[in-house]
Amino acid sequence: TERIMLDESEDRLLIGSQSLLAKYTLSEDVWIYVVMKLYAVALVCCISMSDAWKWAIAFSLGMALLVGVGQPYMRPQVSQLQSFGCVCLATASLAFAYDFPWLARVGLLAPLLLLLWQVRFPDSTEALAERLYQELE
């Protein structure tokens, strides 16, 4: 598989990028790294627009859908947290636009609550399989 090829590679480029490639389910899922950077730039660029909240909602929901459906990260908890965080950002943007400060606070606090819930069960089946594979070597 790709993980074995990465571990056994002697190419300096692959060795240097191993930490980046190990975060994703497949090496071809590195595109999400670029998309996340473009998403951050798009959010910053839309701030100066008069209807910025609409763009923020559109970008956030699009990114949530992309990460939620694609599940590009090696650990499913990261994909869930990333997708949920984007949905909460869209909710907070909508709450700020319609002057619901309590909903904005809940939207900004909800990813932290999900993270605290995920800390209770830090090991996924994928991570367990990866750790067992490394122990067998």
Coordinates of all heavy atoms in Angstrom, one line a residue, residues 77 80-81 84 109-123:
Q77 N -12.0 11.4 13.1 CA -12.4 12.4 14.1 C -12.0 13.8 13.5 O -12.7 14.8 13.7 CB -11.7 12.3 15.4 CG -12.1 11.1 16.2 CD -11.2 9.9 16.0 OE1 -10.6 9.7 14.9 NE2 -11.1 9.0 17.0
Q80 N -14.6 14.8 10.9 CA -15.8 15.2 11.6 C -15.7 16.6 12.2 O -16.6 17.4 12.0 CB -16.2 14.2 12.7 CG -16.6 12.8 12.1 CD -16.6 11.8 13.2 OE1 -16.3 12.1 14.4 NE2 -17.0 10.6 12.9
L81 N -14.6 16.8 12.9 CA -14.4 18.1 13.5 C -14.2 19.2 12.5 O -14.8 20.3 12.7 CB -13.1 18.1 14.4 CG -12.9 19.3 15.3 CD1 -14.0 19.5 16.2 CD2 -11.6 19.1 16.0
F84 N -17.8 19.8 10.9 CA -18.7 20.4 11.9 C -18.2 21.9 12.2 O -19.1 22.7 12.4 CB -18.7 19.6 13.2 CG -19.6 20.1 14.2 CD1 -21.0 20.0 14.0 CD2 -19.2 20.6 15.4 CE1 -21.9 20.4 15.0 CE2 -20.1 21.0 16.4 CZ -21.5 20.9 16.2
L109 N -18.8 28.0 20.0 CA -18.4 27.1 21.1 C -18.7 25.6 20.8 O -18.0 24.8 21.3 CB -19.3 27.5 22.4 CG -19.0 26.7 23.7 CD1 -17.5 27.0 24.1 CD2 -20.0 27.0 24.7
A110 N -19.5 25.3 19.9 CA -19.9 23.9 19.6 C -18.7 23.1 19.1 O -18.6 21.9 19.5 CB -21.0 23.9 18.5
P111 N -17.8 23.6 18.2 CA -16.7 22.7 17.9 C -15.8 22.3 19.1 O -15.3 21.2 19.1 CB -15.9 23.6 16.9 CG -16.8 24.5 16.3 CD -17.8 24.8 17.4
L112 N -15.7 23.2 20.0 CA -14.9 22.9 21.2 C -15.6 21.8 22.0 O -14.9 20.8 22.5 CB -14.8 24.1 22.1 CG -14.0 23.9 23.4 CD1 -12.6 23.5 23.2 CD2 -14.1 25.1 24.3
L113 N -16.9 21.8 22.1 CA -17.7 20.7 22.7 C -17.5 19.4 22.0 O -17.4 18.4 22.7 CB -19.1 21.1 22.9 CG -19.4 22.4 23.7 CD1 -20.9 22.7 23.7 CD2 -18.9 22.2 25.1
L114 N -17.5 19.4 20.7 CA -17.3 18.2 19.9 C -15.9 17.7 20.2 O -15.7 16.5 20.3 CB -17.5 18.4 18.4 CG -17.2 17.2 17.5 CD1 -18.1 16.1 17.8 CD2 -17.3 17.6 16.1
L115 N -14.9 18.6 20.2 CA -13.5 18.2 20.5 C -13.4 17.5 21.9 O -12.8 16.5 22.0 CB -12.6 19.4 20.4 CG -11.1 19.1 20.7 CD1 -10.5 18.2 19.6 CD2 -10.4 20.4 20.8
L116 N -14.1 18.1 22.9 CA -14.1 17.5 24.2 C -14.7 16.1 24.2 O -14.3 15.2 24.9 CB -14.7 18.4 25.2 CG -13.9 19.7 25.5 CD1 -14.8 20.6 26.4 CD2 -12.6 19.4 26.1
W117 N -15.8 16.0 23.4 CA -16.4 14.7 23.3 C -15.5 13.6 22.6 O -15.4 12.5 23.0 CB -17.7 14.8 22.5 CG -18.4 13.5 22.3 CD1 -18.4 12.7 21.2 CD2 -19.2 12.8 23.3 NE1 -19.2 11.6 21.4 CE2 -19.7 11.6 22.7 CE3 -19.6 13.1 24.6 CZ2 -20.5 10.7 23.4 CZ3 -20.4 12.2 25.2 CH2 -20.8 11.0 24.6
Q118 N -14.8 14.1 21.6 CA -13.9 13.2 20.9 C -12.7 12.8 21.7 O -12.2 11.7 21.5 CB -13.4 13.8 19.6 CG -14.5 13.9 18.5 CD -14.0 14.6 17.3 OE1 -12.9 15.3 17.3 NE2 -14.7 14.4 16.2
V119 N -12.3 13.6 22.7 CA -11.2 13.3 23.5 C -11.5 12.0 24.4 O -10.6 11.3 24.7 CB -10.8 14.5 24.4 CG1 -9.9 14.1 25.5 CG2 -10.2 15.5 23.6
R120 N -12.8 11.8 24.7 CA -13.2 10.6 25.4 C -12.8 9.3 24.7 O -12.6 8.3 25.4 CB -14.6 10.7 25.8 CG -15.0 11.9 26.7 CD -16.5 11.9 27.0 NE -16.9 10.6 27.5 CZ -18.1 10.1 27.2 NH1 -18.9 10.7 26.4 NH2 -18.5 9.0 27.8
F121 N -12.9 9.4 23.4 CA -12.6 8.2 22.6 C -11.6 8.5 21.5 O -11.9 8.7 20.3 CB -13.9 7.7 21.9 CG -15.1 7.5 22.8 CD1 -16.1 8.5 22.9 CD2 -15.1 6.5 23.7 CE1 -17.1 8.3 23.7 CE2 -16.2 6.3 24.6 CZ -17.2 7.3 24.6
P122 N -10.3 8.7 21.9 CA -9.3 9.2 21.0 C -8.9 8.2 19.9 O -8.4 8.6 18.8 CB -8.1 9.5 21.9 CG -8.3 8.6 23.0 CD -9.8 8.4 23.2
D123 N -9.2 6.9 20.1 CA -8.7 5.9 19.1 C -9.8 5.5 18.2 O -10.9 5.1 18.6 CB -8.2 4.7 19.9 CG -7.0 4.1 19.2 OD1 -6.4 4.7 18.3 OD2 -6.6 3.0 19.7

